[in-house]
Each structure stands twice: as structure tokens, then as C-alpha cells.
Amino acid sequence: MDDDGLPSQYFRGISYSNESRYEGGFENNQKQGFGILTFADGSGVAGQFENGMPQGFGVANMANGACYAGTFANGLFEGYGVYVRPNRTEFIGTFRAGVLKGFGMLVSETGDCELGWWSGPILIKPQRCDEAIAAARASATAANALVEAHTRKS
């Protein structure tokens, strides 16, 4: 039992003194399981929580209009995700400790893209998008040919 007499694992809504609100699973007086955390400025996180922090898959909306959908670790963007800036520029790729890190694609509001290896906001090893698309199409064509050949033998 918690201090309030409720079972230690319980779904509840709590408002905090900083005008934030959490609705979701609780265990041992910490956010645990699925929940929605909202702040007075309109920002918030919906998804899995562990030990009071976003952990696993979730969606975050920032007060400036940016949003993130992807995985979290210890409350930070971690692993694969999509981050959309207020100007509609998108980054699709990997994050480490809340920062763009690893392979990904940046798509501008005009549709231009930059593909390659990122370290924070810096593209350190670019790859041309048209080359990547051509390689993906060639792989898909080869895979389809293998499937068709296998189907004909059956």
C-alpha cells in the first residue's frame, strides 16, 4: 500500500504544484507503465514510463510545436524516432541520449533531404538521397525477382 492507502500499482491522475498533470500507472509512488504527462505550457509525453521517466515507445509534444515519436531511455530520445520541428523539417533516424546520432535523414519543409551519418545537428558522412533510393529500389527489384522465381518452382 502507498501512503494514500491505495494499492502500490494503481492507475490514477495526479496534479502537481507546477501545474503539470500525470494520468497513468503508478508503482511504488512512481510513474510506471502507460501514462500521459502534461505540463502547463501545453507540452507533454504519452507512452511508457519506468521508474518515473519515459522509457520505451512514446510521443512527446513540445510547447514550441515540435514533436517526437519514438523510443525513450531514462527520459531522453534514444534509438529510432521521428522528430518534427515547428517549421515542419523532419529528422527520421537514430538518437542517442537525446541527440541526433547515427544514421538518419533530414527532410526540409520543401522536401529536400540530407541522408547519412549524423552527430548532433552535423551531417558527418553524407549519402546522396537519390543513390540511396536507387539502391533500395534495386534491392526491392532483386527481392521480387527471387520471390517470383521461387513461386514458379512451387
Side-chain angles (χ1 to χ4, degrees):
M1 298 285 231
D2 286 343
D3 294 339
D4 57 9
L6 295 171
S8 61
Q9 189 171 5
Y10 190 74
F11 189 86
R12 63 178 103 176
I14 293 182
S15 294
Y16 298 95
S17 60
N18 64 359
E19 298 183 21
S20 64
R21 180 163 176 77
Y22 175 75
E23 295 183 27
F26 258 86
E27 189 171 328
N28 299 321
N29 279 331
Q30 291 195 25
K31 300 171 199 80
Q32 189 75 17
F34 182 79
I36 300 170
L37 178 62
T38 54
F39 297 96
D41 65 5
S43 62
V45 178
Q48 293 295 318
F49 286 80
E50 186 174 303
N51 297 320
M53 304 291 285
Q55 182 79 19
F57 185 77
V59 176
N61 292 304
M62 281 48 109
N64 67 0
C67 64
Y68 171 81
T71 54
F72 288 81
N74 299 314
L76 299 173
F77 307 161
E78 182 76 26
Y80 186 78
V82 177
Y83 182 85
V84 182
R85 294 179 180 153
N87 68 0
R88 308 321 302 159
T89 298
E90 298 178 29
F91 179 82
I92 304 157
T94 52
F95 293 80
R96 297 286 174 257
V99 177
L100 312 175
K101 186 83 170 178
F103 192 76
M105 178 172 58
L106 182 72
V107 182
S108 74
E109 64 275 10
T110 62
D112 295 332
C113 81
E114 295 181 79
L115 180 72
W117 292 92
W118 296 81
S119 182
I122 300 168
L123 180 60
I124 57 174
K125 187 176 178 188
Q127 182 175 351
R128 289 185 41 188
C129 290
D130 57 345
E131 291 173 353
I133 291 168
R137 285 185 178 146
S139 294
T141 301
N144 284 335
L146 288 172
V147 169
E148 284 182 30
H150 180 74
T151 304
R152 280 189 226 133
K153 288 182 182 177
S154 299

